[in-house]
mmCIF file of all heavy atoms in Angstrom:
data_model
loop_
_atom_site.group_PDB
_atom_site.id
_atom_site.type_symbol
_atom_site.label_atom_id
_atom_site.label_comp_id
_atom_site.label_asym_id
_atom_site.label_seq_id
_atom_site.Cartn_x
_atom_site.Cartn_y
_atom_site.Cartn_z
ATOM 1 N N TYR D 35 102.601 83.414 76.954
ATOM 2 C CA TYR D 35 101.915 84.401 77.773
ATOM 3 C C TYR D 35 100.573 83.827 78.208
ATOM 4 O O TYR D 35 99.691 84.611 78.685
ATOM 5 C CB TYR D 35 101.713 85.629 76.895
ATOM 6 C CG TYR D 35 103.026 86.336 76.601
ATOM 7 C CD1 TYR D 35 103.613 86.109 75.337
ATOM 8 C CD2 TYR D 35 103.643 87.150 77.478
ATOM 9 C CE1 TYR D 35 104.778 86.757 75.032
ATOM 10 C CE2 TYR D 35 104.811 87.829 77.200
ATOM 11 C CZ TYR D 35 105.393 87.566 75.952
ATOM 12 O OH TYR D 35 106.578 88.200 75.637
ATOM 13 N N ASP D 42 89.189 74.229 89.590
ATOM 14 C CA ASP D 42 88.181 73.662 90.470
ATOM 15 C C ASP D 42 88.556 72.259 90.923
ATOM 16 O O ASP D 42 87.791 71.594 91.626
ATOM 17 C CB ASP D 42 86.811 73.684 89.888
ATOM 18 C CG ASP D 42 86.326 75.056 89.572
ATOM 19 O OD1 ASP D 42 86.657 76.008 90.312
ATOM 20 O OD2 ASP D 42 85.553 75.278 88.573
ATOM 21 N N LEU D 178 98.633 96.505 79.217
ATOM 22 C CA LEU D 178 99.806 96.255 79.951
ATOM 23 C C LEU D 178 99.517 95.377 81.236
ATOM 24 O O LEU D 178 100.397 94.606 81.648
ATOM 25 C CB LEU D 178 100.421 97.560 80.465
ATOM 26 C CG LEU D 178 100.924 98.528 79.334
ATOM 27 C CD1 LEU D 178 101.319 99.814 79.886
ATOM 28 C CD2 LEU D 178 102.009 97.859 78.540
ATOM 29 N N VAL D 179 98.360 95.498 81.789
ATOM 30 C CA VAL D 179 97.997 94.736 82.983
ATOM 31 C C VAL D 179 97.951 93.245 82.760
ATOM 32 O O VAL D 179 98.460 92.451 83.593
ATOM 33 C CB VAL D 179 96.717 95.234 83.600
ATOM 34 C CG1 VAL D 179 96.145 94.237 84.602
ATOM 35 C CG2 VAL D 179 96.884 96.555 84.299
ATOM 36 N N LYS D 233 90.881 87.939 81.238
ATOM 37 C CA LYS D 233 91.956 87.475 80.307
ATOM 38 C C LYS D 233 93.212 87.095 81.111
ATOM 39 O O LYS D 233 93.877 86.119 80.741
ATOM 40 C CB LYS D 233 92.263 88.596 79.343
ATOM 41 C CG LYS D 233 91.064 88.887 78.424
ATOM 42 C CD LYS D 233 91.469 89.994 77.430
ATOM 43 C CE LYS D 233 90.273 90.267 76.453
ATOM 44 N NZ LYS D 233 90.569 91.319 75.481
ATOM 45 N N VAL D 338 98.014 78.216 93.984
ATOM 46 C CA VAL D 338 99.408 78.689 93.960
ATOM 47 C C VAL D 338 100.336 77.628 94.499
ATOM 48 O O VAL D 338 101.564 77.851 94.683
ATOM 49 C CB VAL D 338 99.576 79.998 94.699
ATOM 50 C CG1 VAL D 338 98.777 81.138 94.134
ATOM 51 C CG2 VAL D 338 99.288 79.820 96.207
ATOM 52 N N LYS D 427 137.505 108.531 81.398
ATOM 53 C CA LYS D 427 138.158 109.000 82.633
ATOM 54 C C LYS D 427 138.756 110.381 82.435
ATOM 55 O O LYS D 427 138.963 111.145 83.372
ATOM 56 C CB LYS D 427 139.300 108.072 83.019
ATOM 57 C CG LYS D 427 138.798 106.639 83.285
ATOM 58 C CD LYS D 427 137.794 106.623 84.478
ATOM 59 C CE LYS D 427 137.427 105.180 84.782
ATOM 60 N NZ LYS D 427 136.314 105.189 85.839
ATOM 61 N N LYS D 442 107.631 120.723 104.249
ATOM 62 C CA LYS D 442 106.830 120.448 105.472
ATOM 63 C C LYS D 442 105.387 120.406 105.132
ATOM 64 O O LYS D 442 104.796 121.398 104.727
ATOM 65 C CB LYS D 442 107.108 121.507 106.529
ATOM 66 C CG LYS D 442 108.553 121.686 106.944
ATOM 67 C CD LYS D 442 108.703 122.873 107.869
ATOM 68 C CE LYS D 442 110.160 123.075 108.240
ATOM 69 N NZ LYS D 442 110.352 124.198 109.115
ATOM 70 N N ALA D 471 126.386 125.793 91.800
ATOM 71 C CA ALA D 471 125.871 125.192 90.575
ATOM 72 C C ALA D 471 126.275 126.065 89.373
ATOM 73 O O ALA D 471 126.653 125.538 88.308
ATOM 74 C CB ALA D 471 124.418 125.053 90.703
ATOM 75 N N ASP D 490 109.029 111.152 98.659
ATOM 76 C CA ASP D 490 108.439 111.836 99.828
ATOM 77 C C ASP D 490 107.410 112.877 99.409
ATOM 78 O O ASP D 490 106.405 113.096 100.038
ATOM 79 C CB ASP D 490 109.527 112.476 100.660
ATOM 80 C CG ASP D 490 110.359 111.464 101.419
ATOM 81 O OD1 ASP D 490 109.792 110.476 101.974
ATOM 82 O OD2 ASP D 490 111.596 111.602 101.471
ATOM 83 N N ILE D 526 113.356 113.639 87.058
ATOM 84 C CA ILE D 526 113.074 112.388 87.654
ATOM 85 C C ILE D 526 111.813 112.624 88.464
ATOM 86 O O ILE D 526 111.856 113.284 89.545
ATOM 87 C CB ILE D 526 114.237 111.889 88.576
ATOM 88 C CG1 ILE D 526 115.580 111.922 87.826
ATOM 89 C CG2 ILE D 526 113.869 110.519 89.171
ATOM 90 C CD1 ILE D 526 115.660 110.958 86.677
ATOM 91 N N GLN D 539 112.411 127.730 77.768
ATOM 92 C CA GLN D 539 113.739 128.312 77.857
ATOM 93 C C GLN D 539 114.889 127.310 77.579
ATOM 94 O O GLN D 539 116.051 127.687 77.470
ATOM 95 C CB GLN D 539 113.929 128.924 79.264
ATOM 96 C CG GLN D 539 112.993 130.086 79.538
ATOM 97 C CD GLN D 539 112.849 130.449 80.990
ATOM 98 O OE1 GLN D 539 113.630 129.944 81.853
ATOM 99 N NE2 GLN D 539 111.974 131.329 81.358
ATOM 100 N N TYR D 548 110.673 107.127 88.570
ATOM 101 C CA TYR D 548 111.258 106.352 89.725
ATOM 102 C C TYR D 548 111.520 104.956 89.154
ATOM 103 O O TYR D 548 110.663 104.109 89.142
ATOM 104 C CB TYR D 548 110.362 106.351 90.887
ATOM 105 C CG TYR D 548 109.946 107.825 91.272
ATOM 106 C CD1 TYR D 548 108.633 108.209 91.437
ATOM 107 C CD2 TYR D 548 110.961 108.752 91.536
ATOM 108 C CE1 TYR D 548 108.359 109.482 91.792
ATOM 109 C CE2 TYR D 548 110.616 110.059 91.844
ATOM 110 C CZ TYR D 548 109.318 110.419 91.975
ATOM 111 O OH TYR D 548 108.997 111.745 92.350
ATOM 112 N N LEU D 603 85.188 111.719 79.513
ATOM 113 C CA LEU D 603 86.219 112.578 79.002
ATOM 114 C C LEU D 603 87.341 112.735 79.956
ATOM 115 O O LEU D 603 87.610 113.834 80.537
ATOM 116 C CB LEU D 603 85.637 113.926 78.563
ATOM 117 C CG LEU D 603 84.558 113.917 77.496
ATOM 118 C CD1 LEU D 603 84.109 115.255 77.104
ATOM 119 C CD2 LEU D 603 85.037 113.135 76.215
ATOM 120 N N LYS D 635 96.410 101.397 55.350
ATOM 121 C CA LYS D 635 95.210 100.808 54.706
ATOM 122 C C LYS D 635 94.673 99.749 55.583
ATOM 123 O O LYS D 635 95.314 99.193 56.486
ATOM 124 C CB LYS D 635 95.523 100.243 53.323
ATOM 125 C CG LYS D 635 96.604 99.164 53.336
ATOM 126 C CD LYS D 635 96.943 98.727 51.910
ATOM 127 C CE LYS D 635 98.050 97.665 51.932
ATOM 128 N NZ LYS D 635 98.390 97.209 50.493
ATOM 129 N N LYS D 638 89.813 95.552 54.555
ATOM 130 C CA LYS D 638 88.567 95.663 53.881
ATOM 131 C C LYS D 638 88.036 97.079 54.126
ATOM 132 O O LYS D 638 88.656 97.841 54.889
ATOM 133 C CB LYS D 638 87.524 94.692 54.394
ATOM 134 C CG LYS D 638 87.918 93.233 54.220
ATOM 135 C CD LYS D 638 86.675 92.280 54.377
ATOM 136 C CE LYS D 638 86.072 92.415 55.727
ATOM 137 N NZ LYS D 638 84.898 91.494 55.862
ATOM 138 N N ALA D 679 84.135 110.777 72.751
ATOM 139 C CA ALA D 679 85.377 111.526 72.737
ATOM 140 C C ALA D 679 85.797 111.781 71.298
ATOM 141 O O ALA D 679 85.415 111.026 70.413
ATOM 142 C CB ALA D 679 86.478 110.804 73.485
ATOM 143 N N ALA D 680 86.548 112.887 71.071
ATOM 144 C CA ALA D 680 87.015 113.128 69.730
ATOM 145 C C ALA D 680 87.831 111.980 69.137
ATOM 146 O O ALA D 680 87.757 111.739 67.943
ATOM 147 C CB ALA D 680 87.868 114.418 69.718
ATOM 148 N N LYS D 684 92.757 102.785 70.461
ATOM 149 C CA LYS D 684 92.228 101.399 70.255
ATOM 150 C C LYS D 684 93.266 100.404 69.790
ATOM 151 O O LYS D 684 92.949 99.225 69.592
ATOM 152 C CB LYS D 684 91.070 101.483 69.220
ATOM 153 C CG LYS D 684 89.841 102.257 69.700
ATOM 154 C CD LYS D 684 89.233 101.628 70.915
ATOM 155 C CE LYS D 684 87.994 102.321 71.425
ATOM 156 N NZ LYS D 684 87.417 101.745 72.655
ATOM 157 N N MET D 690 110.670 98.341 65.864
ATOM 158 C CA MET D 690 112.133 98.619 65.671
ATOM 159 C C MET D 690 112.355 98.766 64.204
ATOM 160 O O MET D 690 112.105 97.834 63.433
ATOM 161 C CB MET D 690 112.943 97.465 66.340
ATOM 162 C CG MET D 690 114.353 97.523 65.924
ATOM 163 S SD MET D 690 115.255 99.039 66.386
ATOM 164 C CE MET D 690 115.678 98.600 68.100
ATOM 165 N N LEU D 701 98.300 96.311 62.844
ATOM 166 C CA LEU D 701 97.530 96.427 64.068
ATOM 167 C C LEU D 701 96.228 95.756 63.781
ATOM 168 O O LEU D 701 95.561 95.958 62.718
ATOM 169 C CB LEU D 701 97.243 97.894 64.400
ATOM 170 C CG LEU D 701 98.496 98.765 64.696
ATOM 171 C CD1 LEU D 701 98.865 99.530 63.457
ATOM 172 C CD2 LEU D 701 98.151 99.785 65.807
ATOM 173 N N ALA D 709 82.782 99.443 70.612
ATOM 174 C CA ALA D 709 81.492 99.580 71.232
ATOM 175 C C ALA D 709 81.500 100.631 72.347
ATOM 176 O O ALA D 709 82.517 100.908 73.015
ATOM 177 C CB ALA D 709 81.102 98.235 71.837
ATOM 178 N N LYS D 717 74.171 96.806 77.866
ATOM 179 C CA LYS D 717 74.933 96.016 76.901
ATOM 180 C C LYS D 717 75.932 96.948 76.187
ATOM 181 O O LYS D 717 75.775 98.159 76.071
ATOM 182 C CB LYS D 717 73.993 95.459 75.830
ATOM 183 C CG LYS D 717 73.053 94.402 76.314
ATOM 184 C CD LYS D 717 72.185 93.876 75.163
ATOM 185 C CE LYS D 717 71.208 92.771 75.642
ATOM 186 N NZ LYS D 717 70.324 92.302 74.587
ATOM 187 N N ASN D 731 101.900 109.346 66.316
ATOM 188 C CA ASN D 731 102.772 109.003 67.455
ATOM 189 C C ASN D 731 102.498 109.807 68.723
ATOM 190 O O ASN D 731 103.305 109.872 69.627
ATOM 191 C CB ASN D 731 104.214 109.139 67.045
ATOM 192 C CG ASN D 731 104.563 110.531 66.494
ATOM 193 O OD1 ASN D 731 103.801 111.500 66.624
ATOM 194 N ND2 ASN D 731 105.673 110.660 65.834
ATOM 195 N N ARG D 734 97.779 113.865 69.680
ATOM 196 C CA ARG D 734 97.613 115.149 68.928
ATOM 197 C C ARG D 734 98.359 115.143 67.598
ATOM 198 O O ARG D 734 98.271 116.142 66.888
ATOM 199 C CB ARG D 734 98.191 116.249 69.795
ATOM 200 C CG ARG D 734 97.654 116.390 71.179
ATOM 201 C CD ARG D 734 96.229 116.889 71.222
ATOM 202 N NE ARG D 734 96.058 118.295 70.913
ATOM 203 C CZ ARG D 734 95.045 119.009 71.361
ATOM 204 N NH1 ARG D 734 94.092 118.488 72.144
ATOM 205 N NH2 ARG D 734 94.975 120.289 70.959
ATOM 206 N N GLN D 738 98.546 109.578 59.466
ATOM 207 C CA GLN D 738 97.803 108.875 58.455
ATOM 208 C C GLN D 738 96.330 108.653 58.903
ATOM 209 O O GLN D 738 96.139 108.555 60.179
ATOM 210 C CB GLN D 738 98.435 107.503 58.181
ATOM 211 C CG GLN D 738 99.817 107.584 57.535
ATOM 212 C CD GLN D 738 99.735 107.589 56.023
ATOM 213 O OE1 GLN D 738 99.490 106.584 55.354
ATOM 214 N NE2 GLN D 738 100.017 108.765 55.423
#
Side-chain angles (χ1 to χ4, degrees):
Y35 297 96
D42 297 328
L178 296 174
V179 163
K233 296 180 179 179
V338 299
K427 299 301 181 185
K442 301 174 183 179
D490 288 317
I526 308 296
Q539 296 164 8
Y548 305 127
L603 300 182
K635 59 184 179 181
K638 298 196 304 180
K684 294 298 181 184
M690 165 61 84
L701 302 95
K717 292 180 180 179
N731 54 16
R734 306 288 289 205
Q738 293 270 285

